[in-house]
Amino acid sequence: DVIYFNPVLPSACVGPISFRDHRKIMICDEVGFCGGMNITEDVGEEKFGISNFYDVHARLEGPCVADLADVFRDSLHESGSPVS
């Protein structure tokens, strides 16, 4: 399923239009992934010049994955999703 967090359409908003969630989280078995993975120099170069952006993406293992899953569940709850 795809769950949209606070869609831009006024009839579907769950909060103010500025209430956005840009978290990038994936939980797969006992491994979690989080981070950027969406900004490159190609995108930022025009406005900010070369080498002002970098991506940080992390693979997490161990007890911290449960905490990351809690953050993900919190986003689902705030989206109004029936998924729990």
Side-chain angles (χ1 to χ4, degrees), residues 22-82:
H22 297 277
R23 296 172 178 155
K24 287 119 181 119
I25 298 173
M26 182 175 80
I27 310 291
C28 184
D29 298 326
E30 302 294 319
V31 179
F33 298 90
C34 64
M37 299 299 289
N38 62 346
I39 297 176
T40 68
E41 287 184 4
D42 294 340
V43 175
E45 185 175 334
E46 292 177 26
K47 186 173 182 180
F48 300 105
I50 297 174
S51 298
N52 287 320
F53 288 96
Y54 61 92
D55 282 333
V56 176
H57 196 75
R59 175 187 168 139
L60 306 170
E61 296 182 31
C64 63
V65 176
D67 294 332
L68 188 61
D70 287 341
V71 170
F72 183 77
R73 278 190 289 275
D74 182 58
S75 290
L76 284 176
H77 177 73
E78 288 180 350
S79 75
S81 168

Side-chain angles (χ1 to χ4, degrees), residues 1-9 12-15 19-22 72 75-83:
D1 290 339
V2 174
I3 307 296
Y4 294 97
F5 184 91
N6 201 21
V8 178
L9 298 173
C13 283
V14 295
F19 183 48
R20 312 306 304 157
D21 185 344
H22 297 277
F72 183 77
S75 290
L76 284 176
H77 177 73
E78 288 180 350
S79 75
S81 168
V83 179

